[in-house]
Amino acid sequence: MAHRDDPDRPAVAVSEAARGLARHALVWDNTLPWGPGYADADETLPRFHRAGVDLISLTVMGPEAGLDGTVRQIARVRAQIAARSDRLVLCGSAAEVEAAKAAGKLGVVFNLQETNMLEGSLEMVQVYYDLGVRHMLLAYNARNHVGDGCAERTDGGLSRWGLRVLEEMGRVGLWIDGTHTGYRTTMEAMEVVPGPFIFSHCNAHAVYPHYRNIRDDQIKACAASGGAIGVNGLGEFLDDDLARSETIFRHLDHMVQLVGPRHVGLGLDYVKDAARFWAWVRDNAHMWPPSPNDRTGSAFAQPEQVAELTELMLRAGYADGDVRAILGGNWLRLAREVWR
Amino acid sequence: MARGGGERYERVRQKADPRAVAIQEDALVWDMTMPFSQFYAEYDLTLPRFHAAGVDVISLTIQNMPGADLRTATLYIGRVRAEIARRADRMLLCGTVADILAAKASGRLALILNHQDGSPLGGMPEMVALFHALGIRAALPAYNRKNDLADGCAERTDEGLTRLGRRVVREMLRVGVLVDGTHVGRRSSLDMAELCAEAGRPFAFTHCNAHAVHPHYRNITDAQIRACAATGGAVGVNGLGEFLPDVAAGTEAIFRHLDHIAEVAGPAHAGIGLDYLRDTRHFWDNVRATAAAWPDPPGGAARVDTAFAQPEQVLELTDAMVRHGWAEADIRGVLGLNWSRVAEAAWSPRPGIGTLGDG
């Protein structure tokens, strides 16, 4: 199905079987940027819902604001959701996610792509959780007080403060997210965190060695923790200017072959205003050093590609149950295990 | 109930009419205001003392003086929530009257949170719902001084609510935060009462005394008391010596205000909002340091550092009501049932009322 925002991308023909599966399964996209300027509730969210997505994790803030800006954006997005309570519902538990789907509403949770908005207060972990945040990543590309980001000059481990943050996150019961975080910082975190660890939106370094993609031993450690990795739809990380479903599937399949279908999900990272995103990337060169093949300006996977991915999984012989797990069942299981 | 009481409580108990003791130790006792900024928060000293003195519910004012910004207020609410959670065997942060009754039934002190001044909102009406989600159940828009929402009661001017102030009050009414006129200027407070009446929600003065008894700018006129009562709301009598006026903050002086409020509005519209803090030195130093918020009291005499009513005086107040021949039902109302009625009506979720309009 073409869409006016769609790049000139050859579509995968989707069978009835795949379309039906995507419609009936609980489909969970674990990342949608939703900071100021991205929070387009009346176009993007209905489009995801029509494309079969039942739960979407909104990044209410990334590295661009501290506590004040983050809390303000959470207040705005909560008001945005409350004003559309016939269509949208903020979920806090796996049961609420299932209830949202049953009621025909799009469920949302919040995530934060940074830890700077804690501003030195461990107690803010609980505050953000109580306001709807269900995962937080440790560092966004650059170094922060917790550890190194994945694009940093250095690859150090966790700080003392970072260890305390992890402990508090574990106590509060939100998902600890290694996306955008440096290799050693994530490997150390997976050693010290007793429960499941996730990468909400990451591709495979073995398929394309971009600094934003994660290595096989990170994928294995994540799976060993009981966690999961959400495959990402940014052309830049896929090494595909058009962000084709086949390319996304190559990353997804690499992870499935490596650790099995119970540890893979979706974290598409769709951005409608791609030009805005790329301008931000150019303005923040310390976070976004040149990538191997320089695909700046490449496309983002579109919500309708969820059905195409379902088709490709079925064509590759994935069992229905495994496809359902990847589409959303794995994130639901982890919500049940970790959130409290 | 038998909560141990403590020495000070026992002394008051010995002197009190047994009928007063019997009523208070059975009643729901609710204090609608306790300063609880970082300078006054004493989880293991003041809160147990109130509990031992028979108080079941306390509304904590969790705000730094002078008015905290959004960031500071959010960090602090996180601190307060964590401190309360760490003492879950003794106290419970409550969001509904049902929570409060459950806390009392389990022998724990029930706590709710309030903000005095709209500064934590940072100019955003959407922050009302966010702070509500974190436990704020009562708020007032302006503390003594003029701000972006309202005029304060100690201000040179006496204007009504601003456009933003009206949006914020309407949002409080939609979300279910008790609208409080304490510290607010007369006209702004009457605007608030009108918005409450339109929405069918009660309006409160959580900790105010009667201007007719003592003409301090912090006390409210009979017209304000009546406007509050007309919405089904209540006025919480205050224990600060300067407003009574009584340098020792004695119970008889507090009772005079309570009696006046009950006479003007009926006993169903009076409650307790003691405003106790232990570090009175800090309070008075701060008052002297913020002359724009705290101009001199009436009468031209120099300000003296008066006392604050002590938690054990709640029983003395009950005793005074008994000795003055108040009906038991009225006494129970003042002690807590009036606030529980007001809270039920103010907090019930009503998503249908209005949206974030233009004020």
Side-chain angles (χ1 to χ4, degrees):
Chain A
M1 180 167 44
H3 187 275
R4 62 186 173 80
D5 293 326
D6 234 346
D8 189 10
R9 174 180 57 76
V12 172
V14 179
S15 64
E16 268 314 303
R19 209 169 285 288
L21 189 53
R23 195 175 311 120
H24 291 116
L26 178 86
V27 180
W28 184 315
D29 181 355
N30 222 7
T31 301
L32 179 63
W34 211 248
Y38 290 94
D40 164 36
D42 292 321
E43 188 175 327
T44 298
L45 293 186
R47 192 176 156 205
F48 269 93
H49 205 198
R50 278 197 303 278
V53 173
D54 301 299
L55 189 288
I56 199 147
S57 180
L58 305 175
T59 299
V60 287
M61 194 52 71
E64 60 269 37
L67 188 153
D68 180 278
T70 302
V71 171
R72 284 174 188 269
Q73 181 65 2
I74 290 174
R76 280 189 209 102
V77 176
R78 286 175 66 100
Q80 189 180 56
I81 294 163
R84 293 163 181 79
S85 57
D86 56 326
R87 285 160 279 162
L88 299 177
V89 58
L90 181 61
C91 299
S93 65
E96 286 174 5
V97 171
E98 290 177 299
K101 179 172 170 65
K105 295 181 187 183
L106 178 63
V108 301
V109 298
F110 298 152
N111 73 75
L112 296 173
Q113 295 195 34
E114 243 305 344
T115 41
N116 280 337
M117 57 283 278
L118 297 176
E119 294 200 9
S121 165
L122 283 180
E123 289 150 353
M124 282 303 296
V125 175
Q126 182 76 59
V127 170
Y128 286 129
Y129 184 90
D130 291 340
L131 293 173
V133 172
R134 287 296 176 272
H135 49 121
M136 261 182 112
L137 57 84
L138 302 177
Y140 187 100
N141 287 24
R143 182 186 303 166
N144 65 14
H145 296 283
V146 167
D148 273 355
C150 68
E152 196 45 90
R153 292 179 60 242
T154 54
D155 183 24
L158 288 159
S159 66
R160 292 188 201 283
W161 160 252
L163 288 168
R164 297 193 66 195
V165 168
L166 288 175
E167 194 184 342
E168 181 64 3
M169 286 175 162
R171 191 192 68 77
V172 169
L174 46 64
W175 288 336
I176 304 171
D177 190 342
T179 305
H180 286 283
T181 306
Y183 171 80
R184 274 189 61 187
T185 301
T186 66
M187 292 303 280
E188 286 188 5
M190 289 188 277
E191 260 175 54
V192 300
V193 170
F197 188 90
I198 74 161
F199 290 92
S200 61
H201 56 297
C202 282
N203 286 333
H205 196 270
V207 178
Y208 174 51
H210 191 291
Y211 54 79
R212 256 293 273 110
N213 294 342
I214 56 173
R215 295 165 191 274
D216 284 357
D217 52 348
Q218 287 172 293
I219 296 169
K220 283 182 187 160
C222 171
S225 80
I229 302 114
V231 73
N232 182 295
L234 251 92
E236 155 123 4
F237 312 148
L238 293 164
D239 194 26
D240 177 356
D241 285 337
L242 300 180
R244 277 171 289 219
S245 300
E246 291 92 336
T247 319
I248 302 173
F249 178 75
R250 273 214 303 282
H251 286 267
L252 185 153
D253 192 53
H254 174 81
M255 296 192 244
V256 169
Q257 300 311 324
L258 195 63
V259 293
R262 300 290 143 167
H263 303 288
V264 180
L266 304 178
L268 284 184
D269 212 1
Y270 168 80
V271 166
K272 186 168 81 115
D273 189 352
R276 183 189 186 103
F277 174 79
W278 290 117
W280 180 77
V281 164
R282 275 191 297 275
D283 289 345
N284 289 275
H286 64 289
M287 287 188 218
W288 294 102
S291 58
N293 294 341
D294 187 18
R295 298 202 180 274
T296 303
S298 60
F300 287 70
Q302 306 294 304
E304 293 75 20
Q305 286 176 251
V306 169
E308 295 186 6
L309 278 172
T310 308
E311 171 71 23
L312 294 173
M313 287 190 272
L314 289 178
R315 282 188 202 168
Y318 284 31
D320 273 18
D322 292 343
V323 176
R324 284 173 181 271
I326 292 165
L327 287 175
N330 290 333
W331 293 131
L332 186 70
R333 177 192 81 231
L334 286 166
R336 207 172 276 129
E337 279 177 29
V338 178
W339 301 350
R340 42 176 86 93
Chain B
M1 178 183 71
R3 263 204 293 266
E7 249 174 71
R8 275 185 275 208
Y9 181 75
E10 277 310 315
R11 279 201 296 274
V12 175
R13 202 172 184 272
Q14 295 305 323
K15 282 188 266 177
D17 188 312
R19 287 173 297 166
V21 175
I23 292 170
Q24 167 148 344
E25 296 194 350
D26 181 63
L28 176 72
V29 181
W30 187 318
D31 180 356
M32 207 48 155
T33 304
M34 178 187 285
F36 217 69
S37 71
Q38 65 191 67
F39 306 109
Y40 304 123
E42 293 184 300
Y43 299 88
D44 300 317
L45 191 67
T46 299
L47 295 185
R49 188 176 157 204
F50 268 73
H51 204 200
V55 176
D56 302 301
V57 192
I58 303 176
S59 182
L60 305 175
T61 299
I62 53 157
Q63 189 209 335
N64 297 342
M65 289 172 69
D69 63 14
L70 185 152
R71 176 183 173 279
T72 313
T74 306
L75 282 166
Y76 192 61
I77 203 169
R79 163 60 48 88
V80 171
R81 289 168 63 86
E83 294 285 359
I84 294 170
R86 278 196 271 280
R87 294 168 177 81
D89 57 323
R90 283 159 280 162
M91 52 189 78
L92 184 70
L93 181 61
C94 297
T96 63
V97 173
D99 288 348
I100 285 170
L101 298 178
K104 180 171 166 65
S106 66
R108 291 182 288 176
L109 179 64
L111 299 170
I112 59 173
L113 308 179
N114 74 75
H115 274 152
Q116 293 189 31
D117 205 84
S119 54
L121 303 177
M124 276 183 62
E126 295 92 334
M127 286 298 296
V128 169
L130 186 138
F131 281 127
H132 176 270
L134 295 176
I136 295 293
R137 287 296 177 276
L140 58 89
Y143 184 98
N144 288 22
R145 296 200 287 190
K146 182 192 291 291
N147 67 14
D148 55 343
L149 308 177
D151 268 9
C153 67
E155 198 45 87
R156 291 179 62 242
T157 56
D158 181 22
E159 303 299 332
L161 290 172
T162 64
R163 288 187 206 286
L164 181 61
R166 287 169 65 87
R167 286 188 71 189
V168 164
V169 170
R170 285 209 165 105
E171 180 66 354
M172 290 168 71
L173 292 167
R174 188 182 71 78
V175 168
V177 176
L178 177 63
V179 177
D180 184 1
T182 305
H183 289 284
V184 178
R186 307 218 189 292
R187 286 183 57 184
S188 287
S189 77
L190 293 173
D191 278 0
M192 293 162 70
E194 211 175 289
L195 292 175
C196 290
E198 278 171 21
R201 295 272 208 193
F203 177 55
F205 288 98
T206 59
H207 55 297
C208 282
N209 286 334
H211 196 267
V213 177
H214 177 55
H216 192 291
Y217 54 79
R218 257 293 272 109
N219 294 344
I220 56 173
T221 62
D222 289 354
Q224 287 173 295
I225 295 170
R226 286 197 191 94
C228 167
T231 65
V235 180
V237 74
N238 182 295
L240 229 135
E242 177 170 314
F243 311 150
L244 291 168
D246 177 1
V247 71
T251 304
E252 273 308 315
I254 301 171
F255 178 76
R256 275 203 297 281
H257 287 272
L258 173 64
D259 197 46
H260 179 82
I261 294 162
E263 200 174 293
V264 170
H269 303 287
I272 294 170
L274 221 50
D275 214 4
Y276 169 86
L277 51 85
R278 198 172 66 94
D279 190 354
T280 58
R281 176 63 162 287
H282 181 277
F283 176 84
W284 290 116
D285 283 350
N286 187 61
V287 163
R288 275 185 289 272
T290 53
W294 290 105
D296 288 339
R303 173 168 267 139
V304 285
D305 295 8
T306 63
F308 285 61
Q310 305 295 303
E312 294 76 19
Q313 285 176 251
V314 174
L315 180 54
E316 292 185 0
L317 201 58
T318 307
D319 193 44
M321 289 188 274
V322 167
R323 288 175 200 271
H324 284 84
W326 287 37
E328 180 172 340
D330 293 342
I331 298 171
R332 286 176 182 265
V334 168
L335 287 177
L337 289 181
N338 293 339
W339 282 136
S340 95
R341 180 198 73 228
V342 167
E344 282 279 10
W347 297 346
S348 59
R350 284 160 72 181
I353 299 180
T355 50
L356 289 169
D358 61 6

